[in-house]
């Protein structure tokens, strides 16, 4: 991937989104359902797009909201709906549009006190807390966020009563109904004026912040963090958790500094990402440059993305830890420092996460639960406690409470970030130092991801590729031991292929949003071996697609 000359540098004025123009486009641009890109489409994390491209406009939000109302009625979901938003410019107008439809459909909606921003994990936490002990009148939720995507993007996610990202069968149902509403020009869509929706007897205020913050001591050892007086720095990256951090510090007496409290829909305070775009990605060294620059001021520093469901950990010695490295440390630590967890609780990872996790899990004597890309595959396990931890290579993770019961079933950026301080307090060394120790025992993997062009037809072919279509039994000089088209943990199609050798592997899968495919690769034998894996992987995939 070609790195922009602007990567890691402060955003230039010309890069900033014109917010008034963007909001105008949200209300005035009308998507054409005959154009595939302008239809409602749920990816791994809901429907996303830009008002400028007619991929996220008022029409989309009204249609999806009505489809969710229909889904709730069909499923008998009649408890409150917890509604949260992040700090993207399109989130406020989308929230207003959604509330107009929800109120018209007599849905009990819980919105934040003082119209505050509400992170994704906080909505999941609220759903689960409300539903605990209930078997009827169950709650669900909506989070309006495009995650760490650029400032001109908007996003819309639905979380059913299990509190996690909706499964494919649910999103497909909602997507189909929403597109029917677009095609019929809103026939069947109910709506009331915004002021009427705000005053509706079904619209309620909820104290999301205190309900979440006051419960953190049940998932983390906050006393250990407080007692060690760990100096922490956090950059909310202008996201929905911006006002949570000071409350966490006050509630638990933490030595925590919020290095940037700005909320600005242009995100002008960001350093730009690898491709020259503004992106609030806490796993990108380019987007995290400001926090990396001041890492020596703290014992540990961290950041979260815009809806606070992803984390980035910065240590003095290692700088920004790659997500796979930190997840390895988290697993190694948690399963030795949570005595109340079930001894059968498994480790959840995606098929494109590091093989280091496999080696650590085996060393711990735990079961590995390997699933396709998407946090939704961890929901049931986190809910029933059969998983102690679930994590993705893209820096999304959650884990169960100290007593082994469910915390959140969606990704939570707060708890892995604060866990870095707990680890530092309890182990007397930071996660970067612990990872170096792990590499001495398990080997030091190198991990990379590349992209290559692919037509829609090639992408469809790749998604259905089977092991017998790979006409090679060697990978970078080693015998291919296993080829997977289904994840070992839940026997679900991975939407691509994964080939595994003794000291390396690659996985190839099509992008859900662009005309490209992605190759993920890892080597335990160094940089040259990794490059050889990537090169051979591309040849193997190209031959299969041909």
């Amino acid at each position: 991937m070609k790195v922009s000359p602007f990567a890691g540098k402060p955003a230039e004025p010309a890069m900033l989104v014109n917010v008034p123009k963007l909001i105008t486009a949200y209300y005035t641009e009308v998507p054409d359902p005959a154009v595939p890109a302008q239809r409602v489409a749920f990816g791994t994390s809901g429907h996303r797009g830009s008002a400028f491209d007619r991929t996220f406009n008022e029409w989309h939000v009204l249609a999806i909201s009505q489809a969710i109302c229909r889904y709730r009625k069909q499923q008998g979901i009649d408890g409150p709906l917890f509604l949260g938003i992040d700090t993207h410019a399109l989130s406020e107008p989308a929230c207003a549009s959604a509330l107009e439809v929800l109120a018209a459909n007599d849905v009990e909606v819980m919105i934040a006190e003082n119209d505050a921003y509400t992170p994704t994990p906080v909505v999941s936490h609220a759903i689960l807390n409300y539903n605990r002990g209930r078997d009827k009148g169950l709650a669900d939720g909506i989070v309006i966020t495009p995650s760490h995507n650029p400032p001109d993007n908007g996003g819309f996610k639905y979380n059913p009563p299990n509190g996690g990202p909706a499964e494919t069968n649910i999103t497909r149902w909602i997507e189909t109904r929403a597109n029917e509403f677009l095609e019929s020009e809103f026939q069947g869509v109910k709506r009331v004026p915004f002021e009427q929706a705000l005053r509706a007897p079904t619209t309620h205020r909820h104290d999301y912040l205190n309900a979440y913050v006051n419960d953190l001591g049940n998932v983390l050892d906050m006393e250990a963090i407080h007692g060690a007086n760990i100096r922490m720095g956090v950059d909310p990256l202008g996201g929905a958790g911006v006002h949570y951090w000071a409350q966490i510090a006050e509630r638990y007496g933490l030595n925590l500094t919020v290095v940037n409290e700005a909320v600005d829909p242009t995100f002008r305070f960001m350093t730009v990402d690898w491709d020259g775009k503004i992106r609030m990605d806490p796993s990108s060294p380019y987007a995290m440059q400001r926090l990396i620059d001041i890492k020596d001021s703290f014992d540990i520093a961290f950041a979260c993305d815009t809806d606070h469901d992803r984390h980035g950990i910065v240590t003095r010695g290692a700088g920004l830890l790659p997500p796979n490295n930190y997840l390895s440390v988290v697993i190694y630590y948690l399963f030795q420092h949570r005595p109340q967890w079930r001894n059968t609780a498994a480790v959840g990872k995606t098929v494109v996460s590091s093989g280091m996790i496999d080696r650590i899990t085996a060393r711990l004597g735990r079961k590995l639960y390997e699933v396709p890309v998407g946090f939704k595959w961890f929901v049931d396990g986190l809910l029933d406690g059969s998983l102690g931890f679930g994590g993705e290579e893209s820096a999304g993770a959650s884990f169960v409470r100290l007593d082994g019961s469910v915390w959140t079933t969606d990704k939570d950026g707060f708890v892995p970030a604060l866990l870095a301080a707990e680890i530092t307090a309890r182990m007397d060394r930071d996660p970067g130092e612990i990872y170096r120790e792990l590499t001495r025992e398990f080997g030091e993997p190198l991990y990379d991801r590349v992209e290559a062009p692919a037509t829609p037809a090639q992408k469809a072919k790749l998604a259905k590729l089977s092991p017998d279509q790979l006409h090679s039994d060697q990978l970078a000089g080693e015998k291919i031991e296993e080829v997977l088209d289904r994840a070992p943990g839940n026997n679900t199609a991975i939407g691509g292929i994964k080939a595994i050798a003794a000291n390396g592997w690659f996985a190839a899968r099509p992008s859900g949003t662009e005309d490209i495919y992605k190759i993920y690769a890892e080597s335990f034998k160094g940089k040259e071996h990794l490059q050889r894996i990537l090169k051979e992987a591309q040849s193997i995939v190209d031959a299969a697609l041909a």
Side-chain angles (χ1 to χ4, degrees), residues 520-531:
Y520 307 78
E522 185 173 54
S523 166
F524 279 82
K525 293 179 68 176
K527 190 173 182 180
E528 288 184 13
H529 188 243
L530 176 63
Q531 291 307 312

Side-chain angles (χ1 to χ4, degrees), residues 449-470:
R449 191 187 87 185
V450 297
E451 298 172 352
T455 65
Q458 288 174 321
K459 287 169 59 181
K461 191 173 182 181
L462 175 56
K464 296 176 181 175
L465 213 58
S466 63
D468 57 11
Q469 290 176 272
L470 253 65

